[in-house]
Amino acid sequence: MWTKLHRPKFLKDVIGNQEIVTTIKSMLSNPPHLLLYGPPGVGKTTIAHCIINEIGCDYKEINASDDRGIETVRTVIKNFANTASLNGKFKIIILDEFDATTPDFQTALRRLMEMYSDNCRFILTANNYANIIDPIRSRCRGGTFDFLPIAYDEFKRGILSILSKESMTITEEALLELHKLSNGDLRIIDKLYQISFTSKNITLGDIISIKDDNSWQDLLKLI
């Protein structure tokens, strides 16, 4: 799938929300705990991985919507956070979909974020800021970023870059319709991957043919 194949590896390659990207770049020598929230497909998890690649540190990634029991905090997260890194750098724990966790999970995590902040940083990604308790928000003060849907110009740049690598083209009107359909979610490129089997030159008709098909969103959730 193109979402994984063409995922940026470094912050300089991230599409959209450039003010946030620039600010995070300036923090890399000593980043705070980060809370990245906003709609799906705008680069939150991608940026978390870019940070790890830039720093070159040990990390653990947990999908908090799947492993949201308090035992995950008491065992998996605590065991990783309280041991020193082999390369002498701090560790990073990525908790994806953090807003899907329970208040008990978040309360338990709050204490670990305090106890092991010298050794371990946390990057929390979320769609809904309102589902995160105040003490967690407080621990991420200075590192909280509100992501917006990817604007058309940036969306266009990202899509054209990927299609160029795949030796494909797309018309301007098709791009406009694709952006409207995606709501600024760049993961819709996986739908273009499906089209690539039948056409290398994407037109408005190709985009209209997928307009009422939301299966690409369901597929991404399963992935």
Side-chain angles (χ1 to χ4, degrees):
M1 286 297 217
W2 285 355
T3 299
K4 289 191 174 183
L5 178 63
H6 295 291
R7 170 181 272 183
K9 293 182 172 58
F10 299 98
L11 290 171
K12 66 181 179 61
D13 302 316
V14 171
I15 300 296
N17 290 283
Q18 288 304 298
E19 289 185 5
I20 293 176
V21 173
T22 299
T23 302
I24 289 177
K25 279 182 182 178
S26 70
M27 296 177 165
L28 288 181
S29 61
N30 187 27
H33 299 308
L34 297 177
L35 172 55
L36 315 179
Y37 70 95
V42 296
K44 302 184 299 294
T45 304
T46 292
I47 284 178
H49 283 276
C50 287
I51 291 170
I52 290 163
N53 291 336
E54 302 260 5
I55 295 173
C57 59
D58 295 338
Y59 78 98
K60 179 176 286 294
E61 182 174 10
I62 296 172
N63 188 313
S65 66
D66 294 332
D67 300 309
R68 57 182 178 173
I70 195 170
E71 284 305 312
T72 299
V73 180
R74 292 171 174 168
T75 56
V76 178
I77 295 175
K78 183 177 180 180
N79 290 342
F80 182 79
N82 69 4
T83 57
S85 172
L86 294 177
N87 60 17
K89 300 178 181 180
F90 53 80
K91 295 179 171 183
I92 287 180
I93 295 178
I94 301 172
L95 289 171
D96 263 330
E97 300 183 34
F98 186 72
D99 49 326
T101 59
T102 64
D104 285 345
F105 183 107
Q106 295 186 30
T107 299
L109 184 72
R110 175 192 64 176
R111 180 162 175 76
L112 295 189
M113 292 174 74
E114 284 182 292
M115 292 175 60
Y116 302 115
S117 60
D118 290 340
N119 183 59
C120 187
R121 305 291 195 277
F122 289 80
I123 302 178
L124 316 177
T125 73
N127 295 334
N128 191 345
Y129 181 76
N131 289 351
I132 299 171
I133 63 174
D134 286 338
I136 293 290
R137 298 179 190 177
S138 176
R139 301 297 177 276
C140 298
R141 185 173 292 124
T144 298
F145 297 97
D146 180 6
F147 285 70
L148 298 175
I150 298 174
Y152 177 70
D153 287 346
E154 286 292 293
F155 181 87
K156 176 180 178 179
R157 181 167 68 87
I159 293 293
L160 291 180
S161 174
I162 292 169
L163 292 182
S164 175
K165 293 173 184 176
E166 299 293 338
S167 300
M168 293 178 64
T169 63
I170 185 170
T171 65
E172 183 74 23
E173 57 182 0
L175 260 174
L176 286 165
E177 187 64 26
L178 186 68
H179 182 254
K180 181 180 177 181
L181 176 62
S182 72
N183 293 316
D185 183 342
L186 200 57
R187 297 175 305 173
I188 201 171
I189 59 170
D190 280 338
K191 200 63 185 176
L192 301 186
Y193 167 75
Q194 295 178 32
I195 294 175
S196 71
F197 290 105
T198 57
S199 174
K200 295 297 182 182
N201 304 294
I202 301 172
T203 65
L204 179 59
D206 294 314
I207 304 305
I208 291 175
S209 71
I210 66 171
K211 190 171 184 178
D212 297 325
D213 178 11
N214 293 321
S215 61
W216 66 275
Q217 294 175 322
D218 297 331
L219 179 61
L220 285 169
K221 289 179 182 179
L222 289 173
I223 294 172

